[in-house]
Amino acid sequence: QVQLVESGGGLVQDGGSLGLSCVASGRTFYTLGMGWFRQAPGKEREFVAAIDYTFSTDYADSVKGRFTISRNNEKNTTYLQMNSLRPEDTAVYYCAARRDYTTPVVTSDVDYWGQGTQVTVSS
């Protein structure tokens, strides 16, 4: 079993920046593919970014060039740096993990979820 705990959400103005962190415990971290998803009110949960054990990354088109995912295997932590935030980025952001070195890019890929952290971008 893996436990994921996010932190770093909050309120920011249009064009601002925010960083999220996700600490994992319960399984050897480097074997996990890590990702971030988000869910806005009334919408389905959607993929944001993912990173594998080789540090290869993948991004949703809507965040490319603005968001950066990274990981620190020594600290069992995944990060999401969000720049140039827009009101449409407002959502609950979820950390996600997938077993066996593969990355989660759709919700059905995800083996473990964090509890979520709210990000609100005001216009």
Side-chain angles (χ1 to χ4, degrees), residues 39-59:
Q39 189 166 19
K43 294 187 177 181
E44 294 186 351
R45 195 170 297 188
E46 64 176 8
F47 170 74
V48 175
I51 186 167
D52 71 12
Y53 71 104
T54 68
F55 302 94
S56 177
T57 58
D58 192 11
Y59 295 94

Side-chain angles (χ1 to χ4, degrees), residues 47-107:
F47 170 74
V48 175
I51 186 167
D52 71 12
Y53 71 104
T54 68
F55 302 94
S56 177
T57 58
D58 192 11
Y59 295 94
D61 288 343
S62 59
V63 306
K64 279 182 182 176
R66 301 188 298 124
F67 290 12
T68 302
I69 188 171
S70 60
R71 64 189 293 164
N72 184 324
N73 289 342
E74 292 184 355
K75 294 184 177 180
N76 289 3
T77 303
T78 303
Y79 306 93
L80 185 68
Q81 178 62 39
M82 304 181 291
N83 298 328
S84 302
L85 282 161
R86 306 165 180 167
E88 54 264 39
D89 294 317
T90 295
V92 177
Y93 282 70
Y94 295 90
C95 182
R98 188 180 185 188
R99 293 187 295 261
D100 302 329
Y101 303 96
T102 50
T103 49
V105 293
V106 294
T107 55

